[in-house]
Amino acid sequence: MTAIVLVHGLWADGSAWSETITELQALGHEPVAAQLPLESLDGDIAAVRRILSTLDGPVLLVGWSYGGAVITNAAVGQDHVKALSYVAAFAPDQGESVSDIARRNPGSVLPEYFRVTDDGHSYLDRAAYGEAVAADAPAERTALAAAVQKFPRLGIDGAPSGAPAWRTVPSSYLIATQDRVLPTATQRELADRMGAQTTEWNTGHGPMYAHPKDLAAYLATLAKGL
């Protein structure tokens, strides 16, 4: 069976996928979630490749938000990665950064809720986390996500991407039409540039919080036959 590797975004950790993992397991899959250090893009790429090195057989590599930039690079040269799945995710081209993409279109609420620590890391205002990331998810779920969020190093979003795996690896893109973090217009532009198979959901930036069962079914369908 195709392995499914799940890669989280900034201000999150692998537990973002907890309910999705449970649902995928119920469908017979054995998904693995990365835990990104969020100190540098290169370090996060290495963390995903470390997971890939432990897996045999075909892999569906899934990236959410910033995790899309990670899988774009981590899949390069990994022949057992047979497909990429972008979930409301950044998908940079060569030389492009996450911050470049973030500036493509207006509408993100991140500047309003972005906070900086004294030692050069960032986080999202905990009280507003759910409103920003997944307003359609249960409040208790997003409160938990806010409580366990990781603190990425400032500037991590400015690292330029290498040659993108999506140029050679079949890709799909789940567009969130109520996204308040990554504008829907940007998601559509990225998906179109990739030539990705696209699906649109009426949901916010974090469908794993709001619709984990549906997301698991979606990913299982993508993994089928790889």
Side-chain angles (χ1 to χ4, degrees):
M1 180 176 285
T2 299
I4 300 175
V5 176
L6 306 164
V7 182
H8 64 81
L10 300 176
W11 312 298
D13 69 358
S15 70
W17 303 102
S18 293
E19 292 86 354
T20 305
I21 289 171
T22 299
E23 296 292 345
L24 282 168
Q25 289 171 336
L27 294 171
H29 292 272
E30 296 182 0
V32 180
Q35 293 284 7
L36 303 180
L38 298 181
E39 290 291 323
S40 70
L41 177 60
D42 284 345
D44 295 337
I45 293 166
V48 172
R49 287 183 172 167
R50 191 172 303 121
I51 290 175
L52 294 175
S53 73
T54 69
L55 300 171
D56 297 319
V59 173
L60 171 65
L61 187 54
V62 183
W64 166 51
S65 195
Y66 163 82
V70 178
I71 70 170
T72 291
N73 291 272
V76 173
Q78 305 291 311
D79 292 341
H80 58 317
V81 176
K82 301 302 182 183
L84 302 172
S85 173
Y86 292 81
V87 178
F90 293 82
D93 204 345
Q94 187 164 7
E96 190 175 41
S97 69
V98 167
S99 60
D100 291 335
I101 293 172
R103 291 192 292 268
R104 273 178 168 249
N105 292 287
S108 176
V109 300
L110 283 185
E112 182 179 352
Y113 301 132
F114 184 85
R115 303 288 184 266
V116 178
T117 66
D118 292 340
D119 66 344
H121 292 71
S122 68
Y123 66 103
L124 294 186
D125 181 90
R126 295 183 184 93
Y129 190 100
E131 179 184 348
V133 175
D136 55 337
E140 61 271 19
R141 181 62 185 94
T142 53
L144 175 59
V148 302
Q149 66 176 300
K150 298 190 77 169
F151 285 51
R153 181 173 292 279
L154 288 175
I156 193 173
D157 59 342
S161 178
W166 50 257
R167 289 204 179 278
T168 56
V169 181
S171 301
S172 60
Y173 199 112
L174 177 57
I175 296 169
T177 63
Q178 299 300 316
D179 203 314
R180 304 190 69 208
V181 173
L182 180 59
T184 301
T186 300
Q187 295 180 44
R188 290 178 176 140
E189 291 171 4
L190 297 176
D192 182 66
R193 180 173 70 178
M194 287 192 293
Q197 173 189 337
T198 60
T199 302
E200 297 200 4
W201 286 6
N202 183 30
T203 189
H205 188 62
M208 66 287 301
Y209 300 127
H211 306 285
K213 186 170 185 176
D214 292 338
L215 183 58
Y218 168 78
L219 296 176
T221 298
L222 293 178
K224 188 176 181 180
L226 291 181

